[in-house]
Amino acid sequence: DRLRSRGLGDVYKRQVYTEVLYMTRQQKNMLALLRRLRACAAEDNRRADYVFYATLCNRFERTYKGGVNSAKG
């Protein structure tokens, strides 16, 4: 059996795949943080803070939902 060397295309594909997985993890972490901040603001009855974090959370979900879903498949 002959050993096959990886072509540069394979290396680049692996790098892109790794970066996409990293970005997806970071997006999930950011979304979890925003949700926790929103929940804390709600528990403390800080309406202005709740509205702020809820707005950020909603925008983040809309913006990155496609990226998170597409990285799964």
Side-chain angles (χ1 to χ4, degrees), residues 2-46:
R2 238 175 52 169
L3 289 177
R4 284 184 50 213
S5 64
R6 287 185 185 259
L8 282 178
D10 290 338
V11 172
Y12 293 141
K13 287 177 195 173
R14 189 177 58 226
Q15 288 174 344
V16 168
Y17 180 74
T18 301
E19 284 298 314
V20 168
L21 288 179
Y22 174 77
M23 289 170 33
T24 301
R25 263 187 252 120
Q26 294 304 315
Q27 291 169 357
K28 287 179 182 178
N29 291 341
M30 179 59 77
L31 186 55
L33 174 63
L34 288 172
R35 286 176 175 161
R36 282 196 305 267
L37 289 170
R38 180 181 62 185
C40 288
E43 288 173 8
D44 293 342
N45 290 323
R46 295 189 322 255

Side-chain angles (χ1 to χ4, degrees), residues 43-68:
E43 288 173 8
D44 293 342
N45 290 323
R46 295 189 322 255
R47 175 124 178 95
D49 290 344
Y50 175 80
V51 170
F52 175 76
Y53 290 124
T55 302
L56 279 179
C57 193
N58 291 338
R59 287 183 183 169
F60 192 86
E61 285 173 331
R62 278 197 310 268
T63 302
Y64 292 104
K65 187 171 185 167
V68 171

